[in-house]
Amino acid sequence: MSALDRPLSEAMPTAMDEKLSRELEARLHHEDVFEAPDECARREEVLGEINEVLQQWVVAASASKGIGEDLEPRCNLYTFGSYRLGVHGPSADIDTLCIGPRHLSRAEDFFGSEWSEYEGSFYLEMKRHPGIEKIVAVPDAVVPELKMVFRGFEIDMAYVCMQGFVAVPEDLDVCQTSILQNLDDASVKSLNGCRVADQLLRLVPNHDAFRTALRALRVWANRRGVYSNVLGFFGGVNLAILVARVCQLYPTAAPSMLVYSFFQLWDAWQWTTPVMLTPIVDEGHGLRVWDERVNKSERFQLMKIITPAYPAQNSTFNVTHSTLHVLKQEFKKGREVCAKILLGAAKWQALWEPLPFFSMHKHYLQVTSCAANAEDFKKWEGWVHSRLRLLVQGVETCSSGALVAHPYPERKQDPSKDPALHCIYYMGLGPAPPPTPGAPPPRGTLNLNPAVEQFQMMVTSWVNRSDGTVQWQPGMEAHVKHLKRKDLPAWALPTSSNAAANPAPADPAAAAVAAAAAAAAAVAYNATAGGGAVGIKRVRSEDAPPTAAGNVNASPAAATTATAIDASAGNGVSAGVGVNSASINGNGGGEGGTAAATGDDEPAAKRCAIEDDAGVGPSSELVSAGGGTGAETQVGTAQAADRMDDESIEGEGEGLPSVAAAAAAASAAAAVEAASLERENVNDAVAAVASAAELGGVDVETPLPPLPPPPHPEPNDDIAGLRAGDDGVTEVAAKKPQPAGNKIKVSFASMVKKP
């Protein structure tokens, strides 16, 4: 077994792990991450309808090239991304890939030519379709695709012309490397979306736990403003690879422990070390494979999360010094919040408390993109958004690393302007972390005009990569403006109306089942967890003190040696993702399940509160004490005098519940399991849980409302220039706006006064 395949822990989940995981799942139903069954059915119908349009287009376009229906030309439609992984939400888009026959090219047939008015292209076919609401062709992107809104669903579609096929086989395996032969770079990158998603599902040991943890972390990334691959943060693939790696290290872990281990592992990770799910292999097809030993430029990439499919690539090459600094801060904060959750001092919603972006910095850059008409703006907006990363890098370069620019992914709009012709993005400016801890921030004169000019030159030099034509049109403008915190417009600030609320779940029946399961897990935990003073000491299992019987614990009710990361394991069939039929190829089901609690009476919160020195995961082996009476509490009481002050946690309890509570917990668990299979049994499950809660003395909580957004701080009116203040925040002064050429209006210039 290679080092990448060797897990750190295979311990089974405890009752506390199951309780926290059930609470996490119940909370996620109120975070708008699950889709109602009827919406899932509508997605499949929409994909089937698009597949029918594709097949009709292939037949018609093939006939125009002299290929008759007797050869049965056809194409395949595949899904990837969040939909393929099974973690899509109600508002998520659908990433699709069309593999077409060899005689239909991407440039001429799929996108079409403006000179021929797109005649015979799939772009024109979809534009004329009555179900289309919006469609934009992006042929010059790294992955050329059509972006459209079809019957209310956002769909991104890439196209690959497969050499060697007039009729693409329905059972074509996109994971075989032979299909990459004789393909251009754009086609290889388009295929990699499906290949990476399939490889992820093959390498993850427990699909159910993986999906629950990934859903929770996607909510965290969105609310904390670190979910935008274009700006240098995480994208769907990056986040999925990181969660999959944690699942490999802890293959039997419960979702709650996977989330905690995610922050503990990546907070301590040295990002000069690449993150890989499988060893990198060059299969000899002439494609460039990520290898920092061979390609020197790849050694200087700041974050290295390598895709598991050939050819291996770094999925986070967009990360800059500024965004890496933000990600490290969020990892640290997430680790602290998860520790509080495991100790019972916080709820899960505290993990994804909205980021107070507009109160974090004293100075901001406002970047506004606008165009003369809606058609031009659809293209111009995407181009300017993709170039914002260069403005971040420019700020870092012009300040010699003294400033960091924190981009905010959320798109804003001025209510006084036409929403179809403009959009606004913000960046916060702040001091970079000092090279050595405790060092004073640098002082001196900073000029950010070169960064603005470089950004100005880049966005106006917009050339189509496929044919070299200039894409910039008169009326396309970008405005860069400096704002102090006190000058931020009121419509950009978060209010109680747009703050995260407690929305009704999209699937009330599934939410009721999840809440019932959480309450049943709480009853089961109370029925198995011990009371009395609890002391924890980090020791090895071979060093554990023996009891009178020669064992670590004298009875099953006493605490046992436990590992820090536990999980549910089982064999079940999860819901399929995608449509595996003639309408769409690529089914996304998986194996997984949830097992019952193992009966360990030591809460996972207390076991995980003591962190491992290496920072890789929670303490691997602990001896716990507590629970039961008499001889059952020998361990811990005998060692109470030897506890270290910084490695012990004490609490109070009232002992074990009655046998009736344990029986009620088992009955409630059975009812929840039945309700998960038959939706009409939801009321029975809830009633069983209420009965069990009454017997077990458990207060079944309803989901708490989200935390209110932090108050907007009072601006500091005495700020006059860009200087390093006592609080270490660098301040920016704005000069009178100066017009710039090339239709770009730049009204930002910054100077730092010398002390």
Side-chain angles (χ1 to χ4, degrees):
M1 181 180 292
S2 65
L4 288 177
D5 299 330
R6 188 179 303 116
L8 294 181
S9 174
E10 293 180 319
M12 300 302 295
T14 64
M16 184 63 175
D17 299 338
E18 292 291 349
K19 172 181 175 291
L20 291 172
S21 297
R22 296 296 188 181
E23 290 176 353
L24 175 61
E25 293 175 11
R27 183 62 213 176
L28 287 177
H29 278 278
H30 292 268
E31 299 295 342
D32 201 29
V33 299
F34 288 98
E35 196 170 40
D38 56 340
E39 285 297 304
C40 290
R42 284 191 62 235
R43 282 183 185 265
E44 295 181 0
E45 293 173 0
V46 165
L47 288 171
E49 188 174 356
I50 291 178
N51 186 69
E52 291 179 4
V53 177
L54 274 171
Q55 302 302 336
Q56 295 171 3
W57 167 72
V58 168
V59 172
S62 299
S64 66
K65 296 179 179 291
I67 299 177
E69 295 186 7
D70 55 330
L71 295 178
E72 299 180 351
R74 67 179 314 279
C75 64
N76 283 353
L77 183 63
Y78 299 86
T79 60
F80 59 98
S82 63
Y83 186 78
R84 177 71 178 90
L85 295 176
V87 294
H88 63 285
S91 59
D93 61 351
I94 307 176
D95 297 314
T96 60
L97 169 68
C98 175
I99 297 184
R102 63 188 180 189
H103 54 274
L104 298 181
S105 66
R106 180 194 302 110
E108 296 180 3
D109 300 299
F110 186 72
F111 288 113
S113 173
E114 185 178 359
W115 309 109
S116 62
E117 298 182 349
Y118 306 101
E119 190 63 33
S121 65
F122 181 71
Y123 167 76
L124 185 62
E125 189 78 13
M126 290 301 299
K127 192 173 184 179
R128 293 173 176 174
H129 196 282
I132 203 73
E133 301 174 16
K134 175 183 176 182
I135 184 169
V136 177
V138 192
D140 59 336
V142 175
V143 178
E145 60 185 6
L146 286 178
K147 293 181 174 292
M148 51 185 156
V149 179
F150 186 79
R151 301 200 185 282
F153 293 99
E154 295 184 11
I155 299 175
D156 297 340
M157 182 180 295
Y159 181 84
V160 173
C161 170
M162 187 59 61
Q163 303 297 326
F165 293 109
V166 174
V168 180
E170 292 186 26
D171 58 349
L172 179 66
D173 184 10
V174 296
C175 289
Q176 58 181 347
T177 57
S178 59
I179 67 173
L180 300 176
Q181 293 180 351
N182 302 321
L183 294 182
D184 60 354
D185 186 62
S187 297
V188 172
K189 286 183 168 59
S190 299
L191 277 169
N192 257 5
C194 290
R195 291 165 55 81
V196 168
D198 286 352
Q199 283 293 96
L200 273 172
L201 292 176
R202 291 180 183 182
L203 294 171
V204 170
N206 188 337
H207 289 173
D208 286 346
F210 166 74
R211 289 185 175 119
T212 301
L214 183 55
R215 284 183 188 274
L217 290 166
R218 283 166 63 92
V219 175
W220 162 79
N222 270 300
R223 301 282 176 83
R224 300 301 299 178
V226 291
Y227 195 79
S228 177
N229 195 40
V230 173
L231 294 181
F233 292 120
F234 286 142
V237 174
N238 323 130
L239 203 57
I241 292 175
L242 292 182
V243 178
R245 183 60 185 143
V246 176
C247 290
Q248 285 184 332
L249 295 175
Y250 307 102
T252 58
S256 59
M257 299 305 295
L258 288 177
V259 172
Y260 174 76
S261 299
F262 174 89
F263 290 107
Q264 193 174 29
L265 174 62
W266 304 125
D267 178 45
W269 192 262
Q270 296 296 324
W271 289 106
T272 53
T273 304
V275 179
M276 297 183 293
L277 298 179
T278 184
I280 297 176
V281 177
D282 189 350
E283 302 194 17
H285 291 283
L287 301 175
R288 179 171 177 171
V289 178
W290 187 92
D291 190 347
E292 59 184 347
R293 298 169 300 179
V294 177
N295 308 315
K296 293 184 178 180
S297 60
E298 294 171 347
R299 301 176 186 175
F300 303 101
Q301 293 172 349
L302 301 178
M303 182 176 278
K304 306 165 185 177
I305 303 177
I306 312 303
T307 56
Y310 172 82
Q313 302 293 327
N314 182 13
S315 61
T316 48
F317 66 92
N318 281 346
V319 172
T320 63
H321 288 280
S322 296
T323 54
L324 180 61
H325 173 62
V326 174
L327 288 171
K328 287 181 176 179
Q329 287 182 323
E330 290 303 321
F331 282 140
K332 181 179 180 180
K333 180 176 178 58
R335 179 179 179 178
E336 295 171 351
V337 173
C338 279
K340 294 180 181 179
I341 293 173
L342 296 182
L343 288 170
K347 297 293 184 180
W348 281 109
Q349 52 265 39
L351 180 61
W352 45 74
E353 178 185 350
L355 180 74
F357 175 77
F358 292 101
S359 61
M360 293 175 60
H361 308 282
K362 291 186 177 180
H363 296 269
Y364 296 84
L365 294 184
Q366 177 181 282
V367 183
T368 305
S369 62
C370 56
N373 56 72
E375 282 298 320
D376 287 347
F377 177 71
K378 291 177 184 178
K379 303 176 182 179
W380 178 247
E381 174 196 7
W383 170 252
V384 174
H385 186 215
S386 66
R387 301 296 98 183
L388 289 177
R389 176 172 53 91
L390 299 180
L391 181 57
V392 174
Q393 292 176 333
V395 170
E396 297 171 356
T397 303
C398 291
S399 63
S400 300
L403 285 178
V404 294
H406 180 181
Y408 190 52
E410 186 177 345
R411 180 177 180 263
K412 301 287 186 177
Q413 287 188 323
D414 189 343
S416 63
K417 299 180 180 179
D418 188 351
L421 299 180
H422 86 288
C423 70
I424 300 172
Y425 291 95
Y426 286 91
M427 294 183 185
L429 298 178
T436 58
R443 292 176 176 269
T445 300
L446 299 178
N447 183 10
L448 299 184
N449 282 319
V452 177
E453 294 172 358
Q454 181 184 16
F455 175 73
Q456 166 189 350
M457 183 180 301
M458 177 59 64
V459 295
T460 54
S461 303
W462 185 17
V463 178
N464 191 323
R465 299 182 185 180
S466 58
D467 54 16
T469 59
V470 178
Q471 298 294 300
W472 182 87
Q473 298 295 328
M476 295 181 177
E477 299 180 359
H479 307 262
V480 182
K481 183 179 180 180
H482 160 253
L483 292 174
K484 292 183 180 180
R485 186 171 57 195
K486 66 178 181 179
D487 298 326
L488 289 172
W491 46 261
L493 304 178
T495 61
S496 57
S497 59
N498 58 22
N502 190 24
D507 189 356
V513 171
V523 173
Y525 167 69
N526 276 12
T528 56
V534 177
I536 302 175
K537 183 177 180 180
R538 185 191 309 156
V539 297
R540 298 180 180 273
S541 58
E542 58 267 20
D543 299 332
T547 62
N551 298 324
V552 175
N553 295 296
S555 72
T560 59
T561 302
T563 55
I565 299 296
D566 313 304
S568 56
N571 292 323
V573 179
S574 62
V577 182
V579 184
N580 190 8
S581 64
S583 63
I584 180 169
N585 302 92
N587 190 14
E591 295 183 359
T594 305
T598 61
D600 294 345
D601 66 338
E602 181 57 44
K606 295 183 173 63
R607 290 187 289 104
C608 294
I610 301 176
E611 300 164 355
D612 186 61
D613 294 335
V616 176
S619 304
S620 60
E621 294 180 347
L622 305 174
V623 174
S624 59
T629 59
E632 297 176 356
T633 58
Q634 294 182 32
V635 180
T637 55
Q639 298 296 324
D642 297 332
R643 296 176 190 158
M644 299 173 62
D645 293 338
D646 59 344
E647 293 186 346
S648 66
I649 300 176
E650 295 185 357
E652 295 182 356
E654 297 181 354
L656 293 175
S658 63
V659 177
S667 174
V672 169
E673 183 178 0
S676 64
L677 299 176
E678 301 180 11
R679 301 172 66 85
E680 60 269 17
N681 291 342
V682 171
N683 294 332
D684 297 338
V686 175
V689 169
S691 176
E694 183 178 358
L695 288 174
V698 178
D699 182 15
V700 181
E701 297 181 357
T702 56
L704 296 177
L707 299 175
H712 187 65
E714 293 296 329
N716 188 359
D717 294 333
D718 61 354
I719 297 176
L722 184 89
R723 62 188 185 277
D726 295 336
D727 55 356
V729 178
T730 306
E731 302 165 359
V732 182
K735 288 186 175 181
K736 184 178 180 181
Q738 299 293 332
N742 296 333
K743 302 295 182 180
I744 301 295
K745 298 180 180 179
V746 178
S747 58
F748 170 75
S750 63
M751 299 291 291
V752 177
K753 297 180 179 179
K754 292 184 178 180

